[in-house]
Amino acid sequence: GAGVSQSPSNKVTEKGKDVELRCDPISGHTALYWYRQSLGQGLEFLIYFQGNSAPDKSGLPSDRFSAERTGGSVSTLTIQRTQQEDSAVYLCASSARAQETQYFGPGTRLLVL
Amino acid sequence: RKEVEQDPGPFNVPEGATVAFNCTYSNSASQSFFWYRQDCRKEPKLLMSVYSSGNEDGRFTAQLNRASQYISLLIRDSKLSDSATYLCVVISYNQGGKLIFGQGTELSVKP
């Protein structure tokens, strides 16, 4: 079946604008994760959804970041009032269940001018 | 101190060489361990899981030492196509299954 897909592939925005990034996990996967990879930096965890449980938001860097997962499938990561330091590749991953192998999408490259 | 630390790179080796990557983790509650591979401008892809008994997949061998909180990856007879960044990854069950990544070690295999 299809892997994890993300859209858009690339996004250029102006400082102060809001952006929405979308993730379609592998069908049937109950766990969904968002990570961020900044230039020259490692991958850092942002937020995690598991089934109907409350999400783990411990990695979100500020209250400008939020995410939701509708119907246990598609997820949207929203960044409000974007800043230049938000420029990064935003990666989504899903796994059949928590602690199982995570499969990554191709990422969204965000550039904030 | 980072929760997962890897050898600084880059590693530049000739084809056919054997190369070893080392990784240490600080959270003793870490339960699952992986090596991921990331090609330039691509997403990370699982290379192999790492077990206490050690495991081998072709030219790749991974080892875990829980007492020392140390993970290794050995690549034998390296190929040009092995050039990539290798990421050491742990999951701590007390952190809900999220992956904790090392900063990655870049490998460049030259002809």
Side-chain angles (χ1 to χ4, degrees), chain A residues 10 33 35 37 42-43 45 48 56 58 91 98-107 109, chain B residues 32 34 36 38 41-44 46 49 87 91-93 95-99 101-103:
Chain A
N10 296 280
Y33 304 79
Y35 298 88
Q37 188 169 32
L43 279 131
F45 165 79
Y48 154 58
D56 175 355
S58 59
L91 289 154
Q99 286 98 35
E100 295 194 5
T101 300
Q102 294 182 27
Y103 298 90
F104 283 81
R109 285 174 175 74
Chain B
S32 297
F34 308 90
Y36 274 72
Q38 186 173 27
R41 298 181 67 80
K42 298 288 189 181
E43 71 273 23
L46 179 66
S49 301
L87 299 160
I91 293 179
S92 298
Y93 287 167
Q95 297 187 48
K98 64 189 180 189
L99 300 180
F101 288 84
Q103 72 268 37

Side-chain angles (χ1 to χ4, degrees), chain B residues 9-11 21 36-40 42-43 45 47 60 75 79-87 104-109:
Chain B
F11 282 33
F21 299 138
Y36 274 72
R37 169 189 170 135
Q38 186 173 27
D39 292 281
C40 186
K42 298 288 189 181
E43 71 273 23
K45 293 187 177 177
L47 179 65
F60 298 83
I75 305 176
K79 313 290 185 189
L80 297 177
S81 57
D82 294 334
S83 297
T85 295
Y86 291 82
L87 299 160
T105 303
E106 184 182 347
L107 172 66
S108 179
V109 181

Side-chain angles (χ1 to χ4, degrees), chain B residues 42-89:
Chain B
K42 298 288 189 181
E43 71 273 23
K45 293 187 177 177
L46 179 66
L47 179 65
M48 59 198 304
S49 301
V50 188
Y51 306 113
S52 296
S53 55
N55 49 303
E56 186 173 312
D57 182 3
R59 297 180 294 107
F60 298 83
T61 301
Q63 294 277 354
L64 166 65
N65 184 321
R66 285 187 184 272
S68 302
Q69 297 184 194
Y70 169 88
I71 305 159
S72 66
L73 176 68
L74 185 76
I75 305 176
R76 291 181 299 279
D77 187 24
S78 52
K79 313 290 185 189
L80 297 177
S81 57
D82 294 334
S83 297
T85 295
Y86 291 82
L87 299 160
C88 177
V89 183

